[in-house]
Amino acid sequence: DSGVTQTPKHLITATGQRVTLRCSPRSGDLSVYWYQQSLDQGLQFLIQYYNGEERAKGNILERFSAQQFPDLHSELNLSSLELGDSALYFCASSVTSGTGELFFGEGSRLTVL
Amino acid sequence: GQQVMQIPQYQHVQEGEDFTTYCNSSTTLSNIQWYKQRPGGHPVFLIQLVKSGEVKKQKRLTFQFGEAKKNSSLHITATQTTDVGTYFCAGLGGSNYKLTFGKGTLLTVNP
């Protein structure tokens, strides 16, 4: 158990819909990262927050947005969903930003039909 | 932007054989991390290398960071079935905070 909690574990929805994925980092970790994992693309970095502020942005689509709340939990919002958005979405947390190990949650598997 | 390439993509070995995966970055890295993801699981941190030419060992696993801090390798001696999984390298480049993952090497071990 990494201490990072992600909900929901599984989500099935239709194209065009909007979903929200939630992540609670390990106690004391200030950084939250979101990664997308699909079969052929490995772990694609989406976005990172540190203590409530956006710190780094990766290949995140404009249809996707995220935020980190004062209690440090984070949400990833995916809208106007397409079939290609089906993937495993991982949240990870770390104590600091930029160095040190990442602790990954178990992921949220999104299936878009 | 920064790219991290990892080879091979797949490796199948007989139990007891050695295994090596290589990681190359398009830019100089501040540090490199290695993770293991078991089938159906989530990535789990193995190690972080920071210094040029650094070599670290964890039992049968040996990790190296190149002198130029642009490449790294993970070598497993005498593989076991418990080594099965995907091994990812992840590089932190320069002044940005993006940890870029390679696509991983899927290791399967035949008992």
Side-chain angles (χ1 to χ4, degrees), chain A residues 27-65:
Chain A
S27 177
D29 284 359
L30 299 179
S31 273
V32 169
Y33 308 74
W34 285 98
Y35 285 87
Q36 180 193 56
Q37 186 174 45
S38 39
L39 276 175
D40 296 329
Q41 295 300 317
L43 282 161
Q44 294 288 312
F45 170 70
L46 296 178
I47 198 163
Q48 181 207 351
Y49 284 85
Y50 178 76
N51 203 20
E53 295 196 0
E54 182 183 305
R55 180 56 65 97
K57 214 166 188 176
N59 301 321
I60 187 166
L61 300 172
E62 284 191 13
R63 300 183 287 108
F64 296 180
S65 65

PDB file of all heavy atoms in Angstrom, chain A residues 27-65:
ATOM      1  N   SER A  27       0.047  11.123   3.262  1.00  0.00           N
ATOM      2  CA  SER A  27       0.083  12.150   4.294  1.00  0.00           C
ATOM      3  C   SER A  27       1.440  12.843   4.293  1.00  0.00           C
ATOM      4  O   SER A  27       2.486  12.185   4.340  1.00  0.00           O
ATOM      5  CB  SER A  27      -0.161  11.497   5.661  1.00  0.00           C
ATOM      6  OG  SER A  27      -0.061  12.443   6.683  1.00  0.00           O
ATOM      7  N   GLY A  28       1.422  14.177   4.195  1.00  0.00           N
ATOM      8  CA  GLY A  28       2.669  14.932   4.217  1.00  0.00           C
ATOM      9  C   GLY A  28       3.247  15.244   2.849  1.00  0.00           C
ATOM     10  O   GLY A  28       4.143  16.091   2.728  1.00  0.00           O
ATOM     11  N   ASP A  29       2.769  14.565   1.797  1.00  0.00           N
ATOM     12  CA  ASP A  29       3.281  14.843   0.455  1.00  0.00           C
ATOM     13  C   ASP A  29       2.606  16.079  -0.112  1.00  0.00           C
ATOM     14  O   ASP A  29       1.386  16.198  -0.083  1.00  0.00           O
ATOM     15  CB  ASP A  29       3.039  13.646  -0.472  1.00  0.00           C
ATOM     16  CG  ASP A  29       3.997  12.514  -0.209  1.00  0.00           C
ATOM     17  OD1 ASP A  29       4.862  12.657   0.678  1.00  0.00           O
ATOM     18  OD2 ASP A  29       3.883  11.473  -0.894  1.00  0.00           O
ATOM     19  N   LEU A  30       3.411  16.980  -0.653  1.00  0.00           N
ATOM     20  CA  LEU A  30       2.874  18.227  -1.193  1.00  0.00           C
ATOM     21  C   LEU A  30       2.674  18.192  -2.700  1.00  0.00           C
ATOM     22  O   LEU A  30       1.931  18.990  -3.256  1.00  0.00           O
ATOM     23  CB  LEU A  30       3.808  19.394  -0.842  1.00  0.00           C
ATOM     24  CG  LEU A  30       4.015  19.660   0.649  1.00  0.00           C
ATOM     25  CD1 LEU A  30       4.979  20.821   0.837  1.00  0.00           C
ATOM     26  CD2 LEU A  30       2.698  19.938   1.350  1.00  0.00           C
ATOM     27  N   SER A  31       3.381  17.305  -3.368  1.00  0.00           N
ATOM     28  CA  SER A  31       3.300  17.224  -4.825  1.00  0.00           C
ATOM     29  C   SER A  31       2.365  16.114  -5.269  1.00  0.00           C
ATOM     30  O   SER A  31       2.407  15.007  -4.717  1.00  0.00           O
ATOM     31  CB  SER A  31       4.679  16.939  -5.425  1.00  0.00           C
ATOM     32  OG  SER A  31       5.393  18.110  -5.639  1.00  0.00           O
ATOM     33  N   VAL A  32       1.563  16.425  -6.271  1.00  0.00           N
ATOM     34  CA  VAL A  32       0.699  15.423  -6.891  1.00  0.00           C
ATOM     35  C   VAL A  32       0.941  15.448  -8.397  1.00  0.00           C
ATOM     36  O   VAL A  32       1.055  16.519  -8.999  1.00  0.00           O
ATOM     37  CB  VAL A  32      -0.786  15.708  -6.600  1.00  0.00           C
ATOM     38  CG1 VAL A  32      -1.672  14.826  -7.461  1.00  0.00           C
ATOM     39  CG2 VAL A  32      -1.103  15.482  -5.134  1.00  0.00           C
ATOM     40  N   TYR A  33       1.058  14.271  -8.960  1.00  0.00           N
ATOM     41  CA  TYR A  33       1.300  14.119 -10.394  1.00  0.00           C
ATOM     42  C   TYR A  33       0.182  13.265 -10.983  1.00  0.00           C
ATOM     43  O   TYR A  33      -0.294  12.332 -10.349  1.00  0.00           O
ATOM     44  CB  TYR A  33       2.626  13.388 -10.647  1.00  0.00           C
ATOM     45  CG  TYR A  33       3.838  13.953  -9.948  1.00  0.00           C
ATOM     46  CD1 TYR A  33       4.025  13.772  -8.584  1.00  0.00           C
ATOM     47  CD2 TYR A  33       4.813  14.636 -10.657  1.00  0.00           C
ATOM     48  CE1 TYR A  33       5.144  14.266  -7.930  1.00  0.00           C
ATOM     49  CE2 TYR A  33       5.946  15.132 -10.021  1.00  0.00           C
ATOM     50  CZ  TYR A  33       6.104  14.946  -8.663  1.00  0.00           C
ATOM     51  OH  TYR A  33       7.214  15.432  -8.025  1.00  0.00           O
ATOM     52  N   TRP A  34      -0.156  13.573 -12.224  1.00  0.00           N
ATOM     53  CA  TRP A  34      -1.103  12.739 -12.950  1.00  0.00           C
ATOM     54  C   TRP A  34      -0.412  12.172 -14.192  1.00  0.00           C
ATOM     55  O   TRP A  34       0.243  12.905 -14.940  1.00  0.00           O
ATOM     56  CB  TRP A  34      -2.332  13.533 -13.377  1.00  0.00           C
ATOM     57  CG  TRP A  34      -3.269  13.826 -12.251  1.00  0.00           C
ATOM     58  CD1 TRP A  34      -3.347  14.983 -11.525  1.00  0.00           C
ATOM     59  CD2 TRP A  34      -4.274  12.957 -11.720  1.00  0.00           C
ATOM     60  NE1 TRP A  34      -4.328  14.878 -10.567  1.00  0.00           N
ATOM     61  CE2 TRP A  34      -4.914  13.642 -10.674  1.00  0.00           C
ATOM     62  CE3 TRP A  34      -4.696  11.654 -12.030  1.00  0.00           C
ATOM     63  CZ2 TRP A  34      -5.959  13.088  -9.932  1.00  0.00           C
ATOM     64  CZ3 TRP A  34      -5.726  11.104 -11.291  1.00  0.00           C
ATOM     65  CH2 TRP A  34      -6.350  11.809 -10.249  1.00  0.00           C
ATOM     66  N   TYR A  35      -0.580  10.860 -14.387  1.00  0.00           N
ATOM     67  CA  TYR A  35      -0.033  10.175 -15.546  1.00  0.00           C
ATOM     68  C   TYR A  35      -1.136   9.377 -16.222  1.00  0.00           C
ATOM     69  O   TYR A  35      -2.027   8.845 -15.578  1.00  0.00           O
ATOM     70  CB  TYR A  35       1.076   9.208 -15.142  1.00  0.00           C
ATOM     71  CG  TYR A  35       2.389   9.879 -14.794  1.00  0.00           C
ATOM     72  CD1 TYR A  35       2.632  10.336 -13.503  1.00  0.00           C
ATOM     73  CD2 TYR A  35       3.373  10.047 -15.759  1.00  0.00           C
ATOM     74  CE1 TYR A  35       3.833  10.948 -13.182  1.00  0.00           C
ATOM     75  CE2 TYR A  35       4.574  10.668 -15.451  1.00  0.00           C
ATOM     76  CZ  TYR A  35       4.800  11.114 -14.152  1.00  0.00           C
ATOM     77  OH  TYR A  35       5.986  11.727 -13.846  1.00  0.00           O
ATOM     78  N   GLN A  36      -1.021   9.295 -17.543  1.00  0.00           N
ATOM     79  CA  GLN A  36      -1.930   8.457 -18.327  1.00  0.00           C
ATOM     80  C   GLN A  36      -1.129   7.278 -18.873  1.00  0.00           C
ATOM     81  O   GLN A  36      -0.042   7.474 -19.429  1.00  0.00           O
ATOM     82  CB  GLN A  36      -2.523   9.264 -19.483  1.00  0.00           C
ATOM     83  CG  GLN A  36      -3.480   8.491 -20.372  1.00  0.00           C
ATOM     84  CD  GLN A  36      -3.792   9.243 -21.658  1.00  0.00           C
ATOM     85  OE1 GLN A  36      -2.893   9.600 -22.406  1.00  0.00           O
ATOM     86  NE2 GLN A  36      -5.070   9.487 -21.913  1.00  0.00           N
ATOM     87  N   GLN A  37      -1.666   6.076 -18.700  1.00  0.00           N
ATOM     88  CA  GLN A  37      -0.981   4.893 -19.218  1.00  0.00           C
ATOM     89  C   GLN A  37      -1.905   4.152 -20.167  1.00  0.00           C
ATOM     90  O   GLN A  37      -2.943   3.634 -19.768  1.00  0.00           O
ATOM     91  CB  GLN A  37      -0.530   3.962 -18.098  1.00  0.00           C
ATOM     92  CG  GLN A  37       0.311   2.792 -18.616  1.00  0.00           C
ATOM     93  CD  GLN A  37       0.882   1.944 -17.506  1.00  0.00           C
ATOM     94  OE1 GLN A  37       0.196   1.603 -16.547  1.00  0.00           O
ATOM     95  NE2 GLN A  37       2.160   1.600 -17.614  1.00  0.00           N
ATOM     96  N   SER A  38      -1.524   4.125 -21.429  1.00  0.00           N
ATOM     97  CA  SER A  38      -2.228   3.291 -22.381  1.00  0.00           C
ATOM     98  C   SER A  38      -1.227   2.291 -22.929  1.00  0.00           C
ATOM     99  O   SER A  38      -0.036   2.415 -22.718  1.00  0.00           O
ATOM    100  CB  SER A  38      -2.865   4.122 -23.495  1.00  0.00           C
ATOM    101  OG  SER A  38      -2.025   5.170 -23.888  1.00  0.00           O
ATOM    102  N   LEU A  39      -1.741   1.295 -23.667  1.00  0.00           N
ATOM    103  CA  LEU A  39      -0.935   0.112 -23.986  1.00  0.00           C
ATOM    104  C   LEU A  39       0.390   0.438 -24.645  1.00  0.00           C
ATOM    105  O   LEU A  39       1.414  -0.094 -24.276  1.00  0.00           O
ATOM    106  CB  LEU A  39      -1.745  -0.839 -24.857  1.00  0.00           C
ATOM    107  CG  LEU A  39      -2.670  -1.765 -24.086  1.00  0.00           C
ATOM    108  CD1 LEU A  39      -3.523  -2.592 -25.024  1.00  0.00           C
ATOM    109  CD2 LEU A  39      -1.873  -2.671 -23.154  1.00  0.00           C
ATOM    110  N   ASP A  40       0.348   1.286 -25.666  1.00  0.00           N
ATOM    111  CA  ASP A  40       1.561   1.506 -26.452  1.00  0.00           C
ATOM    112  C   ASP A  40       2.318   2.770 -26.080  1.00  0.00           C
ATOM    113  O   ASP A  40       3.350   3.063 -26.656  1.00  0.00           O
ATOM    114  CB  ASP A  40       1.201   1.583 -27.938  1.00  0.00           C
ATOM    115  CG  ASP A  40       0.644   0.268 -28.435  1.00  0.00           C
ATOM    116  OD1 ASP A  40       1.059  -0.777 -27.891  1.00  0.00           O
ATOM    117  OD2 ASP A  40      -0.216   0.277 -29.327  1.00  0.00           O
ATOM    118  N   GLN A  41       1.818   3.520 -25.137  1.00  0.00           N
ATOM    119  CA  GLN A  41       2.399   4.839 -24.869  1.00  0.00           C
ATOM    120  C   GLN A  41       3.108   4.941 -23.534  1.00  0.00           C
ATOM    121  O   GLN A  41       3.571   5.999 -23.159  1.00  0.00           O
ATOM    122  CB  GLN A  41       1.311   5.917 -24.953  1.00  0.00           C
ATOM    123  CG  GLN A  41       0.708   6.074 -26.326  1.00  0.00           C
ATOM    124  CD  GLN A  41       1.743   6.463 -27.348  1.00  0.00           C
ATOM    125  OE1 GLN A  41       2.604   7.307 -27.115  1.00  0.00           O
ATOM    126  NE2 GLN A  41       1.678   5.830 -28.505  1.00  0.00           N
ATOM    127  N   GLY A  42       3.181   3.870 -22.804  1.00  0.00           N
ATOM    128  CA  GLY A  42       3.875   3.962 -21.530  1.00  0.00           C
ATOM    129  C   GLY A  42       3.170   4.910 -20.587  1.00  0.00           C
ATOM    130  O   GLY A  42       1.946   5.053 -20.616  1.00  0.00           O
ATOM    131  N   LEU A  43       3.948   5.576 -19.750  1.00  0.00           N
ATOM    132  CA  LEU A  43       3.399   6.518 -18.769  1.00  0.00           C
ATOM    133  C   LEU A  43       3.571   7.934 -19.302  1.00  0.00           C
ATOM    134  O   LEU A  43       4.678   8.463 -19.339  1.00  0.00           O
ATOM    135  CB  LEU A  43       4.120   6.370 -17.433  1.00  0.00           C
ATOM    136  CG  LEU A  43       3.705   5.197 -16.578  1.00  0.00           C
ATOM    137  CD1 LEU A  43       4.775   4.880 -15.536  1.00  0.00           C
ATOM    138  CD2 LEU A  43       2.386   5.483 -15.874  1.00  0.00           C
ATOM    139  N   GLN A  44       2.475   8.543 -19.696  1.00  0.00           N
ATOM    140  CA  GLN A  44       2.522   9.900 -20.219  1.00  0.00           C
ATOM    141  C   GLN A  44       2.219  10.892 -19.103  1.00  0.00           C
ATOM    142  O   GLN A  44       1.154  10.841 -18.491  1.00  0.00           O
ATOM    143  CB  GLN A  44       1.489  10.061 -21.333  1.00  0.00           C
ATOM    144  CG  GLN A  44       1.777   9.236 -22.577  1.00  0.00           C
ATOM    145  CD  GLN A  44       2.941   9.771 -23.366  1.00  0.00           C
ATOM    146  OE1 GLN A  44       3.043  10.956 -23.642  1.00  0.00           O
ATOM    147  NE2 GLN A  44       3.863   8.888 -23.722  1.00  0.00           N
ATOM    148  N   PHE A  45       3.147  11.792 -18.881  1.00  0.00           N
ATOM    149  CA  PHE A  45       2.970  12.802 -17.845  1.00  0.00           C
ATOM    150  C   PHE A  45       1.918  13.811 -18.281  1.00  0.00           C
ATOM    151  O   PHE A  45       1.976  14.350 -19.387  1.00  0.00           O
ATOM    152  CB  PHE A  45       4.305  13.502 -17.592  1.00  0.00           C
ATOM    153  CG  PHE A  45       4.217  14.718 -16.712  1.00  0.00           C
ATOM    154  CD1 PHE A  45       3.945  14.586 -15.356  1.00  0.00           C
ATOM    155  CD2 PHE A  45       4.404  15.977 -17.230  1.00  0.00           C
ATOM    156  CE1 PHE A  45       3.869  15.698 -14.546  1.00  0.00           C
ATOM    157  CE2 PHE A  45       4.333  17.104 -16.430  1.00  0.00           C
ATOM    158  CZ  PHE A  45       4.063  16.963 -15.083  1.00  0.00           C
ATOM    159  N   LEU A  46       0.974  14.071 -17.423  1.00  0.00           N
ATOM    160  CA  LEU A  46      -0.074  15.042 -17.733  1.00  0.00           C
ATOM    161  C   LEU A  46       0.182  16.372 -17.047  1.00  0.00           C
ATOM    162  O   LEU A  46       0.296  17.404 -17.686  1.00  0.00           O
ATOM    163  CB  LEU A  46      -1.443  14.494 -17.314  1.00  0.00           C
ATOM    164  CG  LEU A  46      -1.922  13.240 -18.049  1.00  0.00           C
ATOM    165  CD1 LEU A  46      -3.263  12.779 -17.508  1.00  0.00           C
ATOM    166  CD2 LEU A  46      -1.999  13.479 -19.547  1.00  0.00           C
ATOM    167  N   ILE A  47       0.270  16.339 -15.717  1.00  0.00           N
ATOM    168  CA  ILE A  47       0.381  17.593 -14.992  1.00  0.00           C
ATOM    169  C   ILE A  47       0.860  17.333 -13.575  1.00  0.00           C
ATOM    170  O   ILE A  47       0.684  16.229 -13.051  1.00  0.00           O
ATOM    171  CB  ILE A  47      -0.980  18.327 -14.990  1.00  0.00           C
ATOM    172  CG1 ILE A  47      -0.826  19.815 -14.654  1.00  0.00           C
ATOM    173  CG2 ILE A  47      -1.980  17.641 -14.074  1.00  0.00           C
ATOM    174  CD1 ILE A  47      -2.045  20.646 -15.041  1.00  0.00           C
ATOM    175  N   GLN A  48       1.488  18.342 -12.972  1.00  0.00           N
ATOM    176  CA  GLN A  48       1.953  18.248 -11.598  1.00  0.00           C
ATOM    177  C   GLN A  48       1.524  19.483 -10.816  1.00  0.00           C
ATOM    178  O   GLN A  48       1.576  20.601 -11.318  1.00  0.00           O
ATOM    179  CB  GLN A  48       3.476  18.150 -11.532  1.00  0.00           C
ATOM    180  CG  GLN A  48       4.003  18.036 -10.109  1.00  0.00           C
ATOM    181  CD  GLN A  48       5.414  18.564  -9.933  1.00  0.00           C
ATOM    182  OE1 GLN A  48       6.092  18.873 -10.901  1.00  0.00           O
ATOM    183  NE2 GLN A  48       5.864  18.648  -8.689  1.00  0.00           N
ATOM    184  N   TYR A  49       1.121  19.255  -9.595  1.00  0.00           N
ATOM    185  CA  TYR A  49       0.815  20.331  -8.662  1.00  0.00           C
ATOM    186  C   TYR A  49       1.712  20.220  -7.453  1.00  0.00           C
ATOM    187  O   TYR A  49       2.072  19.116  -7.030  1.00  0.00           O
ATOM    188  CB  TYR A  49      -0.658  20.285  -8.225  1.00  0.00           C
ATOM    189  CG  TYR A  49      -1.588  20.791  -9.293  1.00  0.00           C
ATOM    190  CD1 TYR A  49      -2.045  19.941 -10.293  1.00  0.00           C
ATOM    191  CD2 TYR A  49      -1.988  22.115  -9.320  1.00  0.00           C
ATOM    192  CE1 TYR A  49      -2.876  20.405 -11.290  1.00  0.00           C
ATOM    193  CE2 TYR A  49      -2.825  22.592 -10.311  1.00  0.00           C
ATOM    194  CZ  TYR A  49      -3.256  21.721 -11.298  1.00  0.00           C
ATOM    195  OH  TYR A  49      -4.080  22.191 -12.288  1.00  0.00           O
ATOM    196  N   TYR A  50       2.062  21.370  -6.919  1.00  0.00           N
ATOM    197  CA  TYR A  50       2.850  21.409  -5.687  1.00  0.00           C
ATOM    198  C   TYR A  50       2.197  22.401  -4.746  1.00  0.00           C
ATOM    199  O   TYR A  50       2.102  23.585  -5.050  1.00  0.00           O
ATOM    200  CB  TYR A  50       4.301  21.803  -5.974  1.00  0.00           C
ATOM    201  CG  TYR A  50       5.146  21.909  -4.735  1.00  0.00           C
ATOM    202  CD1 TYR A  50       5.599  20.767  -4.096  1.00  0.00           C
ATOM    203  CD2 TYR A  50       5.477  23.151  -4.200  1.00  0.00           C
ATOM    204  CE1 TYR A  50       6.365  20.859  -2.950  1.00  0.00           C
ATOM    205  CE2 TYR A  50       6.238  23.246  -3.055  1.00  0.00           C
ATOM    206  CZ  TYR A  50       6.684  22.092  -2.430  1.00  0.00           C
ATOM    207  OH  TYR A  50       7.437  22.181  -1.295  1.00  0.00           O
ATOM    208  N   ASN A  51       1.735  21.897  -3.648  1.00  0.00           N
ATOM    209  CA  ASN A  51       1.124  22.717  -2.598  1.00  0.00           C
ATOM    210  C   ASN A  51       0.044  23.643  -3.159  1.00  0.00           C
ATOM    211  O   ASN A  51      -0.026  24.823  -2.799  1.00  0.00           O
ATOM    212  CB  ASN A  51       2.196  23.537  -1.888  1.00  0.00           C
ATOM    213  CG  ASN A  51       1.768  23.951  -0.488  1.00  0.00           C
ATOM    214  OD1 ASN A  51       0.870  23.345   0.097  1.00  0.00           O
ATOM    215  ND2 ASN A  51       2.387  24.970   0.040  1.00  0.00           N
ATOM    216  N   GLY A  52      -0.757  23.113  -4.036  1.00  0.00           N
ATOM    217  CA  GLY A  52      -1.903  23.842  -4.555  1.00  0.00           C
ATOM    218  C   GLY A  52      -1.668  24.584  -5.852  1.00  0.00           C
ATOM    219  O   GLY A  52      -2.624  25.069  -6.460  1.00  0.00           O
ATOM    220  N   GLU A  53      -0.427  24.654  -6.286  1.00  0.00           N
ATOM    221  CA  GLU A  53      -0.154  25.412  -7.503  1.00  0.00           C
ATOM    222  C   GLU A  53       0.363  24.495  -8.602  1.00  0.00           C
ATOM    223  O   GLU A  53       1.118  23.553  -8.344  1.00  0.00           O
ATOM    224  CB  GLU A  53       0.883  26.503  -7.226  1.00  0.00           C
ATOM    225  CG  GLU A  53       0.372  27.552  -6.255  1.00  0.00           C
ATOM    226  CD  GLU A  53       1.233  28.804  -6.278  1.00  0.00           C
ATOM    227  OE1 GLU A  53       2.208  28.858  -7.039  1.00  0.00           O
ATOM    228  OE2 GLU A  53       0.917  29.736  -5.503  1.00  0.00           O
ATOM    229  N   GLU A  54      -0.005  24.809  -9.822  1.00  0.00           N
ATOM    230  CA  GLU A  54       0.485  24.037 -10.958  1.00  0.00           C
ATOM    231  C   GLU A  54       1.987  24.243 -11.083  1.00  0.00           C
ATOM    232  O   GLU A  54       2.473  25.374 -11.114  1.00  0.00           O
ATOM    233  CB  GLU A  54      -0.225  24.487 -12.236  1.00  0.00           C
ATOM    234  CG  GLU A  54       0.188  23.698 -13.467  1.00  0.00           C
ATOM    235  CD  GLU A  54      -0.491  24.227 -14.714  1.00  0.00           C
ATOM    236  OE1 GLU A  54      -1.739  24.306 -14.748  1.00  0.00           O
ATOM    237  OE2 GLU A  54       0.240  24.570 -15.679  1.00  0.00           O
ATOM    238  N   ARG A  55       2.724  23.146 -11.171  1.00  0.00           N
ATOM    239  CA  ARG A  55       4.184  23.237 -11.231  1.00  0.00           C
ATOM    240  C   ARG A  55       4.737  22.865 -12.597  1.00  0.00           C
ATOM    241  O   ARG A  55       5.704  23.452 -13.056  1.00  0.00           O
ATOM    242  CB  ARG A  55       4.794  22.335 -10.153  1.00  0.00           C
ATOM    243  CG  ARG A  55       6.301  22.324 -10.109  1.00  0.00           C
ATOM    244  CD  ARG A  55       6.882  23.716  -9.931  1.00  0.00           C
ATOM    245  NE  ARG A  55       6.556  24.309  -8.662  1.00  0.00           N
ATOM    246  CZ  ARG A  55       7.360  24.293  -7.600  1.00  0.00           C
ATOM    247  NH1 ARG A  55       8.508  23.675  -7.662  1.00  0.00           N
ATOM    248  NH2 ARG A  55       7.002  24.890  -6.484  1.00  0.00           N
ATOM    249  N   ALA A  56       4.161  21.883 -13.228  1.00  0.00           N
ATOM    250  CA  ALA A  56       4.648  21.464 -14.548  1.00  0.00           C
ATOM    251  C   ALA A  56       3.500  20.872 -15.338  1.00  0.00           C
ATOM    252  O   ALA A  56       2.575  20.300 -14.770  1.00  0.00           O
ATOM    253  CB  ALA A  56       5.778  20.454 -14.412  1.00  0.00           C
ATOM    254  N   LYS A  57       3.576  21.064 -16.629  1.00  0.00           N
ATOM    255  CA  LYS A  57       2.527  20.576 -17.500  1.00  0.00           C
ATOM    256  C   LYS A  57       3.148  19.711 -18.574  1.00  0.00           C
ATOM    257  O   LYS A  57       4.178  20.051 -19.144  1.00  0.00           O
ATOM    258  CB  LYS A  57       1.813  21.770 -18.144  1.00  0.00           C
ATOM    259  CG  LYS A  57       0.352  21.593 -18.381  1.00  0.00           C
ATOM    260  CD  LYS A  57      -0.290  22.950 -18.703  1.00  0.00           C
ATOM    261  CE  LYS A  57      -1.786  22.827 -18.752  1.00  0.00           C
ATOM    262  NZ  LYS A  57      -2.451  24.118 -18.971  1.00  0.00           N
ATOM    263  N   GLY A  58       2.497  18.599 -18.854  1.00  0.00           N
ATOM    264  CA  GLY A  58       2.978  17.707 -19.894  1.00  0.00           C
ATOM    265  C   GLY A  58       2.017  17.706 -21.053  1.00  0.00           C
ATOM    266  O   GLY A  58       1.494  18.727 -21.463  1.00  0.00           O
ATOM    267  N   ASN A  59       1.773  16.517 -21.572  1.00  0.00           N
ATOM    268  CA  ASN A  59       0.920  16.389 -22.759  1.00  0.00           C
ATOM    269  C   ASN A  59      -0.555  16.315 -22.383  1.00  0.00           C
ATOM    270  O   ASN A  59      -1.251  15.379 -22.754  1.00  0.00           O
ATOM    271  CB  ASN A  59       1.317  15.129 -23.535  1.00  0.00           C
ATOM    272  CG  ASN A  59       2.773  15.175 -23.968  1.00  0.00           C
ATOM    273  OD1 ASN A  59       3.271  16.204 -24.360  1.00  0.00           O
ATOM    274  ND2 ASN A  59       3.445  14.049 -23.853  1.00  0.00           N
ATOM    275  N   ILE A  60      -1.020  17.299 -21.677  1.00  0.00           N
ATOM    276  CA  ILE A  60      -2.413  17.277 -21.246  1.00  0.00           C
ATOM    277  C   ILE A  60      -3.277  17.992 -22.264  1.00  0.00           C
ATOM    278  O   ILE A  60      -2.985  19.101 -22.696  1.00  0.00           O
ATOM    279  CB  ILE A  60      -2.554  17.900 -19.827  1.00  0.00           C
ATOM    280  CG1 ILE A  60      -3.981  17.706 -19.304  1.00  0.00           C
ATOM    281  CG2 ILE A  60      -2.107  19.362 -19.799  1.00  0.00           C
ATOM    282  CD1 ILE A  60      -4.127  17.980 -17.821  1.00  0.00           C
ATOM    283  N   LEU A  61      -4.336  17.313 -22.676  1.00  0.00           N
ATOM    284  CA  LEU A  61      -5.246  17.877 -23.669  1.00  0.00           C
ATOM    285  C   LEU A  61      -6.031  19.034 -23.060  1.00  0.00           C
ATOM    286  O   LEU A  61      -6.239  19.099 -21.850  1.00  0.00           O
ATOM    287  CB  LEU A  61      -6.220  16.791 -24.153  1.00  0.00           C
ATOM    288  CG  LEU A  61      -5.588  15.570 -24.817  1.00  0.00           C
ATOM    289  CD1 LEU A  61      -6.653  14.503 -25.071  1.00  0.00           C
ATOM    290  CD2 LEU A  61      -4.900  15.952 -26.114  1.00  0.00           C
ATOM    291  N   GLU A  62      -6.500  19.912 -23.944  1.00  0.00           N
ATOM    292  CA  GLU A  62      -7.296  21.051 -23.465  1.00  0.00           C
ATOM    293  C   GLU A  62      -8.618  20.592 -22.866  1.00  0.00           C
ATOM    294  O   GLU A  62      -9.192  21.286 -22.029  1.00  0.00           O
ATOM    295  CB  GLU A  62      -7.563  22.020 -24.617  1.00  0.00           C
ATOM    296  CG  GLU A  62      -6.350  22.865 -24.979  1.00  0.00           C
ATOM    297  CD  GLU A  62      -6.701  23.991 -25.923  1.00  0.00           C
ATOM    298  OE1 GLU A  62      -7.903  24.274 -26.113  1.00  0.00           O
ATOM    299  OE2 GLU A  62      -5.768  24.596 -26.482  1.00  0.00           O
ATOM    300  N   ARG A  63      -9.084  19.423 -23.265  1.00  0.00           N
ATOM    301  CA  ARG A  63     -10.322  18.855 -22.706  1.00  0.00           C
ATOM    302  C   ARG A  63     -10.123  18.361 -21.277  1.00  0.00           C
ATOM    303  O   ARG A  63     -11.083  18.026 -20.586  1.00  0.00           O
ATOM    304  CB  ARG A  63     -10.797  17.694 -23.573  1.00  0.00           C
ATOM    305  CG  ARG A  63     -11.110  18.062 -25.005  1.00  0.00           C
ATOM    306  CD  ARG A  63     -11.656  16.868 -25.777  1.00  0.00           C
ATOM    307  NE  ARG A  63     -10.646  15.877 -26.097  1.00  0.00           N
ATOM    308  CZ  ARG A  63     -10.538  14.684 -25.530  1.00  0.00           C
ATOM    309  NH1 ARG A  63     -11.390  14.314 -24.593  1.00  0.00           N
ATOM    310  NH2 ARG A  63      -9.599  13.843 -25.921  1.00  0.00           N
ATOM    311  N   PHE A  64      -8.881  18.281 -20.863  1.00  0.00           N
ATOM    312  CA  PHE A  64      -8.573  17.800 -19.519  1.00  0.00           C
ATOM    313  C   PHE A  64      -8.149  18.977 -18.645  1.00  0.00           C
ATOM    314  O   PHE A  64      -7.475  19.906 -19.105  1.00  0.00           O
ATOM    315  CB  PHE A  64      -7.424  16.785 -19.547  1.00  0.00           C
ATOM    316  CG  PHE A  64      -7.711  15.514 -20.296  1.00  0.00           C
ATOM    317  CD1 PHE A  64      -6.741  14.525 -20.382  1.00  0.00           C
ATOM    318  CD2 PHE A  64      -8.931  15.270 -20.902  1.00  0.00           C
ATOM    319  CE1 PHE A  64      -6.972  13.341 -21.066  1.00  0.00           C
ATOM    320  CE2 PHE A  64      -9.187  14.087 -21.581  1.00  0.00           C
ATOM    321  CZ  PHE A  64      -8.186  13.121 -21.670  1.00  0.00           C
ATOM    322  N   SER A  65      -8.512  18.912 -17.405  1.00  0.00           N
ATOM    323  CA  SER A  65      -8.057  19.929 -16.458  1.00  0.00           C
ATOM    324  C   SER A  65      -7.867  19.280 -15.097  1.00  0.00           C
ATOM    325  O   SER A  65      -8.404  18.201 -14.836  1.00  0.00           O
ATOM    326  CB  SER A  65      -9.068  21.078 -16.352  1.00  0.00           C
ATOM    327  OG  SER A  65     -10.286  20.604 -15.803  1.00  0.00           O
TER     328      SER A  65
END
